[in-house]
Amino acid sequence: MRITNSTSFAPTLQKISMIFWSVLSLTLLSSCKSDNKTSPIGNFNPNKPIGESTDTKENTVNIQEEWTYFLPSSTTNQIVNHEFFVLSYNEKVEQAEWVAYELKKEYIKNNDFKRPYFIEDPKVITRSADWRNYKNSGYDKGHLCPAADMEFSRAAYNDTFYTSNISPQKHDFNGGIWNRLEQKVRYWAEKENGIIVITGGVLKNTSKTIGTQKVVVPNFFYKIIFENEKGKQKMIAFLIPNEKSNKPLYEFVVSVDTIEKMTGIDFFPKLDDKVENALEKNTDTRLWLLN
């Protein structure tokens, strides 16, 4: 029997293999497109960063989005991110120029956690002030993001005791009108089902300092509350002297524009300009008094 050399079949087998894989590829592509179905990777756009919205700036403002979209500008370029609040640290005055956080309805708890010691913030590159600056200074270690706003989590609660989150406050101010305002903010968080809070001391035009690190004592403290619910965007701001006061809170309502002029901070730089201008110049309290 004559035996044919097997190498003579190579070209033929190669052609058959190419035809087979071509047919299989066309079949798979057809199945993905049939009945208007998308391919297994969906509408993935390789040129779009993961997590980035395709909406325009104006549209993204009007939807519930990550609250950090609304962070203020930083005059120091030292942004410190903690899990539930963000701050901009100012090394020259040894405190944050602002602290920002979202306060949701479900965050309002009363877990009665044991208060930890104040410690330096390990995330502040230039090191935050030592708590001993406050010792025998005559001033309280006043929270900016209140510990009571973070009682839903022990870790979140403990984070508020970093010295990057405190500022020198007179005792009667800290335990008085400032405390009343903090309670009002928690009330609004429950009623509005979540708000964004930005707060800090006015660090300009003050020469008073405490401690060896010369921690600046603000003459005023501010707090800005923003509700971003679609169709219900509203804003209210308070500017209160660092001293005892029995006056009603609403006597300290100012425009955000006023606080921007005093601090040099742009508080909502990513808001649409028309929306930003309208909200930041407003001092009408009626929308908040309805609550």
Side-chain angles (χ1 to χ4, degrees):
M1 182 176 66
R2 182 180 178 184
I3 299 177
T4 307
N5 190 338
S6 60
T7 56
S8 62
F9 289 98
T12 302
L13 290 172
Q14 187 177 9
K15 289 180 180 179
I16 293 173
S17 177
M18 291 175 62
I19 293 170
F20 171 78
W21 287 111
S22 297
V23 172
L24 180 60
S25 298
L26 289 171
T27 302
L28 289 172
L29 286 171
S30 177
S31 66
C32 289
K33 295 178 180 179
S34 62
D35 300 324
N36 294 321
K37 294 179 180 178
T38 60
S39 69
I41 60 172
N43 295 320
F44 176 70
N45 181 352
N47 296 317
K48 173 181 169 292
I50 295 173
E52 181 179 297
S53 172
T54 54
D55 294 330
T56 63
K57 176 182 175 182
E58 184 173 356
N59 289 335
T60 56
V61 169
N62 295 320
I63 63 174
Q64 289 296 335
E65 188 175 320
E66 289 294 330
W67 70 270
T68 52
Y69 178 84
F70 300 102
L71 287 178
S73 65
S74 171
T75 67
T76 65
N77 295 317
Q78 188 172 185
I79 299 293
V80 180
N81 290 281
H82 289 286
E83 187 172 3
F84 290 99
F85 66 89
V86 180
L87 61 91
S88 173
Y89 197 77
N90 188 327
E91 177 65 22
K92 291 182 179 180
V93 295
E94 290 291 4
Q95 63 197 279
E97 63 177 348
W98 54 256
V99 174
Y101 59 99
E102 183 179 30
L103 188 57
K104 296 181 179 180
K105 180 179 181 179
E106 58 266 30
Y107 289 179
I108 309 300
K109 305 286 185 182
N110 185 15
N111 283 317
D112 197 26
F113 292 134
K114 182 180 178 181
R115 290 172 67 91
Y117 294 112
F118 285 94
I119 60 173
E120 293 182 31
D121 189 337
K123 293 188 175 183
V124 175
I125 297 173
T126 56
R127 300 185 63 179
S128 59
D130 190 301
W131 68 269
R132 293 175 184 84
N133 288 284
Y134 290 79
K135 190 174 181 179
N136 300 321
S137 69
Y139 289 87
D140 286 0
K141 296 182 282 290
H143 278 84
L144 296 176
C145 174
D149 286 4
M150 298 285 138
E151 283 196 78
F152 60 90
S153 159
R154 185 181 296 276
Y157 179 83
N158 288 346
D159 280 354
T160 67
F161 287 84
Y162 288 128
T163 56
S164 59
N165 183 48
I166 61 174
S167 183
Q169 295 181 342
K170 291 184 178 179
H171 179 72
D172 289 337
F173 168 82
N174 184 29
I177 191 168
W178 192 246
N179 180 53
R180 282 196 282 133
L181 180 55
E182 290 174 342
Q183 292 182 39
K184 192 68 173 179
V185 168
R186 286 190 284 275
Y187 169 82
W188 281 326
E190 291 187 290
K191 290 294 182 181
E192 305 295 345
N193 197 25
I195 53 178
I196 295 168
V197 184
I198 305 172
T199 187
V202 177
L203 305 176
K204 294 184 176 182
N205 299 319
T206 175
S207 58
K208 174 69 177 178
T209 64
I210 60 171
T212 58
Q213 292 179 286
K214 299 189 180 301
V215 180
V216 162
V217 179
N219 291 326
F220 295 88
F221 284 87
Y222 65 85
K223 199 177 291 287
I224 302 168
I225 298 93
F226 175 47
E227 181 186 354
N228 186 44
E229 184 177 346
K230 184 177 180 180
K232 289 180 61 179
Q233 284 181 326
K234 59 184 180 181
M235 194 177 292
I236 190 169
F238 296 85
L239 181 69
I240 308 178
N242 187 8
E243 59 189 29
K244 180 180 179 179
S245 177
N246 294 318
K247 293 181 180 179
L249 287 172
Y250 289 101
E251 289 194 22
F252 298 98
V253 171
V254 298
S255 67
V256 175
D257 285 338
T258 297
I259 301 174
E260 286 186 333
K261 290 177 183 178
M262 294 180 70
T263 60
I265 299 168
D266 185 358
F267 283 99
F268 296 92
K270 292 186 179 180
L271 273 175
D272 175 80
D273 288 340
K274 290 183 179 179
V275 175
E276 180 184 10
N277 292 335
L279 289 172
E280 290 188 352
K281 71 180 181 182
N282 181 54
T283 57
D284 191 342
T285 62
R286 286 176 294 180
L287 290 175
W288 298 89
L289 281 170
L290 293 175
N291 297 320

